[in-house]
Amino acid sequence: LEGALRYLLERWEPDLIVVGGDLTNLGTPEEMEAVRGLLAQVQTPLFPLFGNHDGANERRIQLAREGKADQTFTRHYERCFGPPFYSFDWGGRHFVMQMDFDRCFSPADQARKANWLEADLGRQPPGREIIVVLHGPPAADFIQQLSRFEVSTVLYGHRHSSKVCRHHGIDLICTPAFCF
């Protein structure tokens, strides 16, 4: 991560950096703290997103203890970076940072996350371009849901590959994980 950040900042002068999840490998508190310290050194505004690896430690502990994984696994992430989903405005666009791996959330938090997204998108004024950042590839029905709003672009990673396509009038752009 440190090398990728250095490479990016030495070659370009980005206005902002959006990191689409998997800030850590195992999601341990120690990894989270190390990443937070590294990202704090970056002067460019940086917007992180929770990824499934970032909740892996909490999930593994619950599975070992209870034999099931039905809670929300974002506590370590939230202590260092804030909410696992949020939005912000930048350059006349509305950005939605939405963690889409429901298995990282309890059923109640899945519903809360879905309701939040619907409300956030519904509050945007006509003509404001919306960019949705996900961790993983979106399902077709999710893209159809987004097409009711002025979503122009969905960015995602997780698959460790580069792909671009268009579906329901929305550009879908997959980029490799930041460290790749």
Side-chain angles (χ1 to χ4, degrees):
L1 180 60
E2 184 176 4
L5 278 170
R6 187 174 31 255
Y7 181 86
L8 171 71
L9 295 171
E10 286 173 357
R11 285 163 180 74
W12 299 283
E13 295 179 19
D15 292 330
L16 77 152
I17 299 171
V18 176
V19 182
D22 287 349
L23 301 171
T24 67
N25 185 34
L26 302 175
T28 64
E30 297 80 16
E31 283 183 327
M32 291 290 173
E33 287 295 336
V35 170
R36 179 169 63 173
L38 177 63
L39 297 184
Q41 298 173 33
V42 176
Q43 299 302 307
T44 303
L46 192 143
F47 298 90
L49 178 64
F50 175 84
N52 61 305
H53 279 259
D54 301 321
N57 179 258
E58 292 176 72
R59 187 171 196 275
R60 187 175 58 251
I61 289 170
Q62 187 194 11
L63 276 170
R65 187 177 30 211
E66 300 175 27
K68 61 181 178 177
D70 59 357
Q71 295 178 5
T72 296
F73 305 110
T74 61
R75 286 181 300 279
H76 298 327
Y77 177 90
E78 289 184 56
R79 271 194 286 278
C80 289
F81 301 106
F85 52 93
Y86 61 98
S87 62
F88 63 94
D89 295 326
W90 190 277
R93 294 175 180 87
H94 185 68
F95 286 79
V96 176
M97 306 294 282
Q98 176 76 351
M99 175 42 174
D100 53 327
F101 277 49
D102 280 347
R103 71 175 181 252
C104 295
F105 296 89
S106 69
D109 284 340
Q110 290 175 33
R112 184 173 61 88
K113 183 170 61 87
N115 292 337
W116 171 85
L117 177 64
E118 189 79 17
D120 184 78
L121 293 173
R123 281 191 299 271
Q124 301 315 305
R128 175 175 283 158
E129 182 181 2
I130 302 170
I131 298 173
V132 176
V133 181
L134 305 173
H135 177 62
D141 60 336
F142 184 70
I143 295 300
Q144 188 169 5
Q145 174 191 353
L146 293 178
S147 70
R148 298 187 350 250
F149 305 97
E150 297 196 37
V151 174
S152 66
T153 307
V154 172
L155 303 173
Y156 68 96
H158 183 70
R159 295 290 182 190
H160 304 265
S161 62
S162 297
K163 297 176 190 219
V164 176
C165 66
R166 190 166 180 79
H167 191 60
H168 286 288
I170 298 173
D171 293 326
L172 307 174
I173 303 172
C174 176
T175 61
F178 190 62
C179 293
F180 292 95

